[in-house]
Amino acid sequence: MSQLELLWDYQQADMAASKVENAIKRSPTRQKLVKYRDYLLEQQNVMKHIEGEVAAMADRLEALKDAVSMTDDQLRSLQNKLESDPPTDSEGLQQFLADVRRFQNNLTAYEQEIKRIRKDAGDSERLQHDVRVRAAKAKGEFDKLKVTYDEEYKKSNQELEGLRKAAEEKAQPIEPELMERYRTIKRHCVPPLAQLYGDQCGGCNMSLPSAVSRKIKAGELVECETCGRLLIVI
């Protein structure tokens, strides 16, 4: 057999193995498994986001508690000052009342924000619970499906290994340079080797010049000018 004929035989074995490999990748069970995996990863990211928000809310609550405590101290200080050194004129009294109103407004704003944060924290806690429930359910489905897929994959992989071994055996007598050329073409064109039908490439169905066809029929290594496949006459 010529090198091209040996390569043609190898390609049949190589394509048979690729067909099984692609079938494994497109397995409905595997596709469902991937969807569950992606969903679980998404829920993990959601949980991390919620946890980050909760941590930020906790920090803000601590800061607000400090602000409330400081404002309470300022109000007590004003009260003590009023008792020990009351204003002697209307201007001093107005300033005192303005300070009281400012501190009271600050306290009101702090308390409203604390109330809002506590509500948001409660909403986040409920959301965390819902996410955990959904994730736990999805994980259960994932685990059951993985058992099925593992069995399915084991059988398919055994078949694939057998086909790959057969292909490797057929590759042994082929010159390394020709195999490398085959693999290079396969990166952008599958199958890499096509039959010549009349003056047409069996891969892309484009017509070839008569001179090129004669070279192919003479056993020369020729690539299709259109698709790049190696051409052979069987």
Side-chain angles (χ1 to χ4, degrees), residues 48-68:
K48 288 179 181 178
H49 179 70
I50 296 172
E51 288 167 0
E53 289 184 335
V54 169
M57 284 188 283
D59 291 342
R60 181 56 182 162
L61 273 177
E62 289 301 314
L64 287 170
K65 289 177 182 178
D66 291 341
V68 167

Side-chain angles (χ1 to χ4, degrees), residues 33 65 111 138 157 177 184 200:
L33 205 60
K65 289 177 182 178
E111 289 167 358
N157 197 53
E177 294 80 5
T184 299
Q200 286 187 332

